[in-house]
């Protein structure tokens, strides 16, 4: 025969203690889940940033490797701009080849491109025609944000009187508007990523 003690249920104090323990465990579990979600979002953001950096570098490599010796008419139409023009201030303009034309539009395969750094944003811009006029609209996109430094240097032709790296092009001396460097050196410093450097041989 069972005693009354065997049939006794939980007391109010025991229920409160059990509920307290459950609440603590639930809080810890949800806190860990929240931290895991935060870490996952942080990793996703870093991965997207790295993919953006890799895309930007590939695009720059492709652009500069296909430099072409084609000067363009200035917007006012009274003069010409060199095939490659850099003033050493985080901006470079040039003509490149290999502009894909999947839509078979009536245009050349050459493209006028400009890279420039404005307020920590690296922009790649282009003109729909080689010889623009004042009404020609410039297209483009922001390649990278939080860029602390963007530097492009050029190697003058091997065999030239003073073959050296320079941030200015055309360099001082007897260089025509169609002159191209033998190589291009790019340096980009992206906050939170570091320094990316590339050395590119210019195609002929």
């Amino acid at each position: 025969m069972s005693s009354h003690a065997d049939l006794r249920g939980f007391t109010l104090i025991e229920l409160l203690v059990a509920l307290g323990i459950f609440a603590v465990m639930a809080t810890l579990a949800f806190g860990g889940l929240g931290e895991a979600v935060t870490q996952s979002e942080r990793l996703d953001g870093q991965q997207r940033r790295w993919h953006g950096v890799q895309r930007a570098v590939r695009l720059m490599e492709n652009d500069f490797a296909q430099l072409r010796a084609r000067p363009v008419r200035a917007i006012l139409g009274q003069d010409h701009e060199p095939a490659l023009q850099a003033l050493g201030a985080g901006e470079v303009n040039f003509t490149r080849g290999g502009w894909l034309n999947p839509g078979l539009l009536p245009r050349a395969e050459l493209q006028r491109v400009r890279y420039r750094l404005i307020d920590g944003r690296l922009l790649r811009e282009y003109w729909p025609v080689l010889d623009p006029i004042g009404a020609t609209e410039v297209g483009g996109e922001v390649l990278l944000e939080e860029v602390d430094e963007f530097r492009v240097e050029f190697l003058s032709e091997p065999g030239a009187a003073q073959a050296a790296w320079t941030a200015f092009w055309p360099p001082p001396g007897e260089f025509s508007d169609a002159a191209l460097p033998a190589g291009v050196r790019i340096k980009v410093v992206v906050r939170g990523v570091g320094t990316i450097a590339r050395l590119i041989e210019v195609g002929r």
Side-chain angles (χ1 to χ4, degrees):
M1 183 174 179
S2 300
S3 63
H4 291 292
D6 295 334
L7 299 176
R8 182 177 63 88
F10 291 105
T11 66
L12 179 60
I13 294 178
E14 290 173 334
L15 287 174
L16 291 175
V17 170
L19 288 174
I21 294 173
F22 176 79
V24 171
M25 294 179 64
T27 301
L28 293 175
F30 280 112
L33 179 60
E35 181 64 23
V37 171
T38 300
Q39 290 289 347
S40 177
E41 291 176 347
R42 186 180 296 115
L43 290 174
D44 287 343
Q46 291 176 348
Q47 189 175 35
R48 286 193 299 270
R49 190 164 175 77
W50 269 107
H51 286 167
V53 170
Q54 291 171 349
R55 176 181 176 274
V57 170
R58 285 196 302 268
L59 191 53
M60 285 188 283
E61 289 176 333
N62 188 47
D63 278 344
F64 285 104
Q66 299 194 71
L67 286 175
R68 294 294 183 267
R70 172 38 163 101
V72 298
R73 186 178 60 211
I75 292 180
L76 298 179
Q78 299 175 346
D79 202 352
H80 282 79
E81 295 182 358
L84 170 64
Q85 185 177 46
L87 302 178
E91 179 175 335
V92 56
N93 302 265
F94 56 92
T95 303
R96 59 151 291 174
W99 188 12
L100 297 179
N101 190 8
L104 300 178
L105 301 174
R107 61 167 174 78
E109 69 164 6
L110 300 179
Q111 184 183 41
R112 191 67 176 178
V113 176
R114 174 172 65 191
Y115 282 90
R116 56 178 176 159
L117 182 64
I118 299 179
D119 297 329
R121 301 187 305 162
L122 179 59
L123 280 68
R124 181 191 185 270
E125 301 168 309
Y126 64 89
W127 285 262
V129 294
L130 282 177
D131 298 307
I133 60 176
T136 303
E137 295 186 1
V138 181
E141 63 177 313
V142 177
L143 280 184
L144 293 172
E145 296 186 351
E146 297 185 324
V147 177
D148 293 326
E149 182 180 354
F150 171 63
R151 183 175 180 83
V152 184
E153 295 178 313
F154 311 95
L155 179 64
S156 57
E157 282 281 8
Q162 294 181 342
W165 290 100
T166 175
F168 300 89
W169 196 272
E174 298 180 0
F175 286 85
S176 70
D177 285 347
L180 294 179
V184 178
R185 184 165 61 187
I186 299 173
K187 177 184 177 183
V188 184
V189 180
V190 184
R191 206 170 306 154
V193 175
T195 301
I196 301 100
R198 290 293 185 273
L199 182 61
I200 304 165
E201 182 180 1
V202 175
R204 298 297 178 185

